[in-house]
Amino acid sequence: MSKTKISNPQSLKFARVPHPSPLAADKRAALLKNPGFGRVFTDHMVTVRYHESQGWHDARIEPRAPIPMDPAAAVLHYAQEIFEGLKAYRTADGGATLFRPEQNARRFQQSAERLAMPELPESVFLEACDLLVSTDREWIPDGDGSLYLRPFMFANEIFLGVKPSSDYLFMVIASSVGAYFKTDAPAVSVWVSPDYTRAAPGGTGAAKCGGNYAASLLAQAEATKHGCDQVVFLDAVDRRWVEELGGMNIFFVFDDGSMVTPPLGGTILPGITRSSLLTLAKDKGIAVREERYSIQQWKADAVSGRLREAFACGTAAVVTPIGTVRAPDGEFTIGNGGSGARTEELKSVLVGIQRGRTADPHGWIHRVF
Ligand code: PLP
Ligand code: COI
């Protein structure tokens, strides 16, 4: 917790233990041809330890390997765990960049606070990400791919009492990725979960903690059973306001050119893609409202044609059009069921900045090397 008396170093010296036998270049190239999402991992990982008596210490980058754990480690019992997701991109001049990584570092601190965990200094988070990207630079795919970084932290105290752990491990691993959705369809379909909610007021919805995803899995499995790519959650109180998808935020585009996205209020994840798109839309003079939008209105507007487009957004999903919405009482289609001009326009501006193809007016790009 931030209340800790231990001095929190703003930087740590990382010990470097190079992999003695990194994967051969031809084998790596074969994996990078079609990596999918989250299955191909690089040679190294970062670990930093925390103990309440020592603060953050023992920072290292070392060969990626299984981590020994005691079966009584607190995370295995009470799920005190948080994580982040951000991507490194290859630049035309052979360098590498990250997109707004300080935002991930800050959200990580906010998640830590909610889960009663110690705050990791922003500078340590950033250095850990930079170090892994530069060490495993050969793993950044060309073309549309990227290197997905997964910083995470978990409770490592060997104790079965229910209390904040005294001991934590922060790690970063990296995965070469392509598109998140496997579908070739021009847009994804979503299932409106009738029975399950993701987060309640006062809960952990705004934190990026593993438990939120564990709680979403049954609803996501139900979506898959109904032939849908993702689950969309309604609010836990009135069961009518659209909140977000299992792993991404949502935007709506109307016939007058305006846009709506559900407001942050503690129950949805404050997405960095969402916040970037809000800024980019405003730059373009688009009227964009952070406003509650009900499932009934969504259906009525899709049927009347007032709603022209809807899209999901997030680090993994980037900007993905939503074509079909399915619920137990029937389904409806948005626009022509494919993508729309506004979705494509915002996606191309965002991706252009992320990949260094267009100007970066807000200073969002962080050069790694
Ligand atoms: N909402 C949820 C539940 C997510 O898991 C994610 C992905 O990280 C997002 C929204 C989008 O957040 P970001 O744009 O920061 O990746
Ligand atoms: C991300 O976009 O980084 C996420 O964590 C979402 C998950 C669906 C992979």
Side-chain angles (χ1 to χ4, degrees), residues 98 187 193 263 332 358 366:
L98 292 168
S193 180
F332 57 93
T358 51
H366 168 95

Side-chain angles (χ1 to χ4, degrees), residues 83-86 104 107 148 150 198 205 207-208 212-213 244-250 268-275 313-318:
F83 70 95
E84 269 304 325
L86 67 165
N104 296 90
R107 189 170 63 188
Y148 182 82
R150 172 52 62 86
R198 177 181 174 276
K208 205 159 166 62
N212 287 344
Y213 297 79
E244 63 177 323
L245 276 51
M248 43 216 81
N249 295 118
I250 189 166
I268 72 174
L269 192 79
I272 294 157
T273 319
R274 173 189 180 279
S275 128
C313 67
T315 299
V318 195

